[in-house]
């Protein structure tokens, strides 16, 4: 992975919302599905999807503050992350544009400096025992509940109802959304984040 990158400029594309923080979401995207699904901007996805930097599994899409049924965003700041700070995140979030955007849209509502925001993301990421979703994908009759338990069982303090699931329209796993309270403790996801019921079938693309 590059040791430094040019820090992208992130234009604001939505309203400023300064709101009290009531919790957080750690969104872990399933990279094989992201890279498999048809999308525009293939050049911008090369770091994650070309294979030149290895194959990624779960990656950090973002760490987001919540505020009841909505969320804070685009809190004004003149501080931008450096290329070195962005490069340090690329092994867990393999897109410089995504890393820069997560600070500009979400992190600036949580901390004063991007280095603090990124440090919190790394601490939480390093606390997880990630499931082997490649192996799980081969299980007959796989359900959404099986995926939730695969994350919750090896991670102390987590229960399946604290693991939100996002799937594509055709039932492929896209993302885990891990729900926290405002003290960074796991908590049950609300209906907006929880996703499909445990009994719903799910498929996991292995990238083959």
């Amino acid at each position: 992975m590059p040791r430094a990158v040019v820090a992208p400029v992130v234009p604001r594309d939505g309203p400023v919302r300064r709101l009290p923080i009531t919790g957080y979401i750690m969104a872990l995207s399933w990279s094989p599905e992201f890279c498999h699904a048809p999308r525009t901007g293939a050049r911008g996805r090369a770091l994650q999807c070309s294979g030149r930097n290895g194959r990624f599994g779960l990656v950090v899409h973002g760490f987001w503050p919540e505020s009841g049924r909505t969320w804070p965003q685009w809190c004004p700041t003149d501080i931008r992350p450096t290329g070195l700070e962005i490069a340090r995140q690329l092994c867990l979030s393999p897109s410089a544009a995504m890393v820069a955007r997560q600070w500009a849209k979400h992190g600036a509502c949580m901390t004063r400096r991007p280095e603090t925001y990124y440090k919190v993301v790394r601490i939480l990421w390093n606390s997880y025992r990630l499931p082997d979703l490649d192996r799980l994908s081969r299980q007959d009759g796989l359900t959404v509940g099986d995926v939730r338990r695969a994350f919750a069982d090896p991670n102390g303090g987590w229960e399946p109802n604290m693991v939100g699931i996002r799937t594509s329209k055709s039932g492929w796993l896209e993302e885990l959304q891990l729900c926290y309270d405002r003290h960074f403790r796991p908590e049950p996801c609300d209906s907006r984040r929880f996703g499909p019921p445990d009994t719903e079938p799910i498929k996991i693309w292995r990238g083959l």
Side-chain angles (χ1 to χ4, degrees):
M1 302 295 281
R3 294 183 179 181
V5 298
V6 176
V9 176
V10 180
R12 180 166 64 85
D13 61 2
V16 172
R17 288 202 294 261
R18 292 189 180 97
L19 297 169
I21 295 175
T22 59
Y24 302 92
I25 298 294
M26 176 69 85
L28 302 181
S29 173
W30 180 236
S31 188
E33 175 62 22
F34 172 82
C35 294
H36 169 67
R39 301 175 192 272
T40 59
R43 183 177 179 182
R45 299 161 54 214
L47 190 67
Q48 180 172 353
C49 300
S50 68
R52 292 191 295 271
N53 300 291
R55 293 178 59 203
F56 294 90
L58 287 169
V59 298
V60 175
H61 175 186
F63 184 56
W64 310 326
E66 296 280 284
S67 186
R69 301 296 295 178
T70 185
W71 58 90
Q73 66 175 22
W74 298 115
C75 296
T77 179
D78 294 328
I79 301 175
R80 292 173 51 195
T82 67
L84 289 172
E85 288 169 341
I86 290 175
R88 192 175 181 186
Q89 299 296 109
L90 292 179
C91 283
L92 52 155
S93 292
S95 164
M98 179 169 63
V99 172
R101 179 179 171 82
Q102 292 307 307
W103 157 253
K105 184 174 182 179
H106 302 290
C109 296
M110 297 164 52
T111 66
R112 293 183 178 181
R113 304 190 64 83
E115 61 185 309
T116 307
Y117 171 69
Y118 295 143
K119 182 178 180 179
V120 170
V121 173
R122 290 194 301 272
I123 288 171
L124 294 176
W125 168 262
N126 288 328
S127 74
Y128 303 140
R129 297 185 65 184
L130 297 177
D132 185 346
L133 295 182
D134 184 277
R135 184 177 66 179
L136 189 66
S137 71
R138 305 169 195 273
Q139 178 176 309
D140 291 336
L142 185 66
T143 67
V144 169
D146 293 327
V147 177
R148 289 192 171 105
R149 287 188 292 273
F151 180 87
D153 287 351
N155 286 284
W158 288 90
E159 299 293 338
N161 67 347
M162 300 169 175
V163 182
I165 299 290
R166 195 178 78 184
T167 60
S168 69
K169 292 181 180 180
S170 52
W172 294 91
L173 174 67
E174 290 185 333
E175 193 163 87
L176 307 185
Q177 295 196 345
L178 309 179
C179 299
Y180 290 89
D181 67 16
R182 65 189 183 92
H183 301 293
F184 298 96
R185 295 180 300 224
E187 69 170 1
C189 298
D190 63 19
S191 58
R192 181 167 56 93
R193 295 296 187 185
F194 187 70
D198 285 349
T199 55
E200 186 164 312
I202 191 171
K203 299 172 286 185
I204 301 175
W205 180 257
R206 295 193 293 271
L208 302 179

